[in-house]
Amino acid sequence: MSGREAFLFEVAPHHDAGGPVSARGISRWRAALYLLLAVVLSAGVILAPLLGTVLISFSRPGAWPEVLTDPQAWQAVGNTLIWWVLVVVVCAVGLGLAWLVRTAGPALGLVMRVILVLPAVVSPLTTGAIFRLLFDTSSERGMAAAVLGRDTAFLGPGWIWLVLGLAFVWQYAGVAFLVFHEALARLPAHLLRVARAFGAGRGRRLWSVVLPALAGPAALAYLFALVAAARVFDLVLMGVPGSMQALVEGGGLYWWRHNDDLGYARAAALAVLMSLLVAGLAAPALLGLRGRVTWAGSTPSAQPPATSGRRLWPLGGAVSVLWLLPFAALLITSLRDPVAAARSGWWNGEPWTLGSYAEALSDSAFTGALGTTFLRAVTVVCVVLLAAVPAAYVLAHEHLLPRRTWRPVLLVSVALAVLPPQAFAVPLQQTLSPIGTAPALTIVHAALVLPLAVLVLHNAFVRVPAPMLARDRWELVHFVREARPAVVLAGVLTFVLVWNDAIVGLLLNWPSGDHLPLILLEQARHFMSAASPLAAQAVLATAVPVLVLAVTARLLYRGLTRGVRR
């Protein structure tokens, strides 16, 4: 390394391992108490059943060799890797959009932040339904086929991964865009000026300054997308015709379909194999989360001239239209007569009707599921925040845990955040069945979301400025006050994940009729004939998380990009 390169390396933002350490902070006994609820949920609902799954996988000597030589199992594993590639694509698209509009004015930035993030609160079931409508193989019903002017097998071999990839990117790229957009806007300008002063070219500035500064945001965006990919399930069930699902199903869906055929030991071995694979794919996120870039006192990048923002309006407008098009397809389909919707495309100019909405609202099963799912989601939010806030507070004080303990705890949190439920489904189902469906669903949902909530809050708590803390027994209260945006983010994230989840009940053999996504999933069996009623139910189901997003938008944005009030 030359002297100039060495200096540029020193100029790049460093990971700040300092954090808000309090000299007179809480004792380790109190720290253990703060961790208690999170540990009980994680150990009792995830770790102990996971250990049970591992033991079951070795209960029959031939189970592992049979799984490792099963071509169908390896095809499912290969499909899981394709979903991981789509995670990288999501992050790349988010970063690319953020880079293209980094010079946009505040108006265009606000428009794109709102529009691009909306799909993230949509249920994967709804996303699957939307893209199945858009890419129907008939040119009379599918918009993409109509553009080509002929029937096209978009939902068949060779095309189906394109459809799924577009659906996945549409749903989650907005979150990555939001994170990267803020990170680029807050990139310390003085570091770039120093790099230019020492003759660093654009490539060297990108490698030495920009990329290190984006490590933390990239880890967060990657982790969000990986959680979705690791648990991809309902998108395939709704968006892919039954005859094609075996070609694109990941390990989780394959496990669910063939659990009885595989038997306990082989199913457990496959679940452990999938867990190891996903944990390995999550490891890169730890590199970005292990430290923080210190931007205190730095000057954000200079704002571009107003003319640059105006020139970007055509690009921003095109992207916004593309992101709104699926919503338009869903809404218009819901307003069409069911018979007409089954015969022709949603863009047809036939008169609209509210009949499908009236049918949905008169269905006691659907309306009952709306209320029950809302109460369940709110309950899980309370439980998760009650456990995650004190746990993240302890993790933010690295001195409260032995050095050999702190990093493994963070690593376990990352691994648990992306762990597929198949890894502990069988032992957990046997343990929790006696307590009833409703309490069991609440407990399992809380345990599944908890690790991700802890990571979000930890990322915010380490940014709380140390001089602002009271350094007394009420220090946790001050942390929550300063990191209120991140607390709101954790709560909204929990609500949306529970509201949209269809996998837990199915995997644990609890097909509870009072959980909303399972009501929508029933319609998939008669997709074409029920397109309009399904779209109406999906619109009503989507309205709730969209309303939550609208109410919390300002704090939610700060929580996702900065985590603290300042």
Side-chain angles (χ1 to χ4, degrees):
M1 179 184 293
S2 67
R4 174 170 296 180
E5 291 175 337
F7 182 83
L8 288 177
F9 181 79
E10 292 299 320
V11 165
H14 285 278
H15 290 298
D16 177 16
V21 177
S22 175
R24 298 178 299 169
I26 63 174
S27 66
R28 289 192 175 182
W29 286 108
R30 183 178 292 183
L33 181 63
Y34 284 175
L35 289 170
L36 181 60
L37 182 55
V39 170
V40 168
L41 276 174
S42 298
V45 180
I46 299 181
L47 291 178
L50 176 61
L51 177 60
T53 301
V54 173
L55 295 177
I56 292 174
S57 71
F58 289 101
S59 62
R60 189 167 65 83
W64 275 97
E66 290 174 4
V67 168
L68 294 176
T69 56
D70 185 351
Q72 289 185 315
W74 278 110
Q75 179 181 343
V77 172
N79 289 339
T80 300
L81 293 177
I82 294 177
W83 284 106
W84 172 76
V85 171
L86 291 177
V87 169
V88 178
V89 172
V90 163
C91 295
V93 170
L95 177 58
L97 290 173
W99 184 263
L100 288 174
V101 302
R102 71 191 187 282
T103 59
L108 178 58
L110 176 61
V111 169
M112 294 196 66
R113 287 200 301 268
V114 172
I115 292 177
L116 266 63
V117 80
L118 279 177
V121 302
V122 175
S123 166
L125 284 172
T126 300
T127 300
I130 291 173
F131 277 79
R132 190 165 173 179
L133 289 171
L134 291 175
F135 289 92
D136 191 285
T137 57
S138 171
S139 59
E140 296 181 355
R141 296 189 302 267
M143 188 190 71
V147 170
L148 297 177
R150 57 186 177 85
D151 293 355
T152 307
F154 283 116
L155 301 178
W159 288 97
I160 188 63
W161 275 114
L162 174 63
V163 176
L164 290 175
L166 290 174
F168 192 76
V169 170
W170 175 78
Q171 183 156 30
Y172 297 108
V175 177
F177 162 79
L178 204 61
V179 174
F180 286 122
H181 180 67
E182 174 68 12
L184 289 172
R186 294 178 60 82
L187 189 67
H190 72 278
L191 295 177
L192 293 172
R193 287 197 298 267
V194 172
R196 290 192 194 99
F198 278 81
R202 179 173 299 180
R204 172 55 67 181
R205 294 198 302 270
L206 176 66
W207 182 259
S208 299
V209 179
V210 177
L211 291 183
L214 294 179
L220 193 61
Y222 177 80
L223 191 60
F224 282 145
L226 186 60
V227 169
R231 299 173 185 175
V232 67
F233 197 91
D234 29 10
L235 176 61
V236 174
L237 285 178
M238 180 66 79
V240 181
S243 60
M244 288 297 303
Q245 290 180 6
L247 296 179
V248 297
E249 63 186 3
L253 187 55
Y254 175 81
W255 184 96
W256 179 64
R257 290 186 183 281
H258 301 281
N259 185 34
D260 293 336
D261 299 334
L262 291 171
Y264 271 4
R266 289 175 60 194
L270 177 60
V272 173
L273 177 62
M274 294 301 304
S275 302
L276 293 174
L277 174 62
V278 173
L281 297 178
L286 188 64
L287 299 177
L289 294 174
R290 64 186 297 179
R292 284 77 61 189
V293 175
T294 303
W295 289 349
S298 63
T299 304
S301 298
Q303 292 298 320
T307 54
S308 299
R310 288 197 294 268
R311 291 172 183 171
L312 288 172
W313 269 103
L315 172 63
V319 172
S320 300
V321 169
L322 287 176
W323 247 255
L324 288 175
L325 181 62
F327 286 112
L330 180 69
L331 180 61
I332 295 175
T333 300
S334 72
L335 293 172
R336 300 192 66 209
D337 178 77
V339 176
R343 292 177 176 175
S344 59
W346 57 271
W347 60 90
N348 190 291
E350 297 178 12
W352 294 349
T353 175
L354 295 176
S356 293
Y357 285 95
E359 179 182 345
L361 294 175
S362 63
D363 185 350
S364 58
F366 177 76
T367 55
L370 277 173
T372 303
T373 307
F374 181 84
L375 291 177
R376 179 176 294 128
V378 171
T379 302
V380 174
V381 169
C382 296
V383 174
V384 167
L385 292 183
L386 188 63
V389 167
Y393 168 75
V394 172
L395 289 178
H397 289 73
E398 298 180 16
H399 70 289
L400 293 177
L401 295 174
R403 181 172 294 273
R404 294 181 179 180
T405 303
W406 181 80
R407 291 200 183 280
V409 168
L410 194 60
L411 176 61
V412 170
S413 298
V414 172
L416 292 182
V418 299
L419 189 69
Q422 295 84 356
F424 51 84
V426 173
L428 191 61
Q429 191 272 336
Q430 297 172 350
T431 303
L432 294 184
S433 289
I435 73 174
T437 298
L441 283 175
T442 300
I443 293 172
V444 176
H445 278 304
L448 282 174
V449 181
L450 178 61
L452 187 60
V454 169
L455 290 173
V456 168
L457 292 170
H458 168 266
N459 192 47
F461 283 174
V462 296
R463 296 174 182 267
V464 175
M468 302 181 60
L469 303 178
R471 301 184 185 277
D472 57 21
R473 67 180 62 184
W474 301 108
E475 185 178 271
L476 177 57
V477 177
H478 296 288
F479 263 85
V480 173
R481 184 182 63 186
E482 293 300 319
R484 186 173 57 184
V487 176
V488 172
L489 171 63
V492 173
L493 182 66
T494 300
F495 182 92
V496 170
L497 289 176
V498 176
W499 180 266
N500 291 332
D501 180 81
I503 185 174
V504 171
L506 290 175
L507 285 182
L508 301 179
N509 294 325
W510 297 326
S512 175
D514 64 354
H515 199 62
L516 185 61
L518 298 181
I519 299 291
L520 298 178
L521 188 58
E522 284 295 320
Q523 299 280 9
R525 299 179 180 181
H526 312 284
F527 185 86
M528 290 313 306
S529 61
S532 180
L534 172 61
Q537 290 184 352
V539 169
L540 293 173
T542 303
V544 175
V546 168
L547 180 61
V548 172
L549 181 67
V551 171
T552 61
R554 180 171 298 181
L555 286 175
L556 195 64
Y557 172 67
R558 292 180 182 176
L560 188 62
T561 56
R562 278 168 278 179
V564 295
R565 295 195 298 177
R566 291 164 176 77

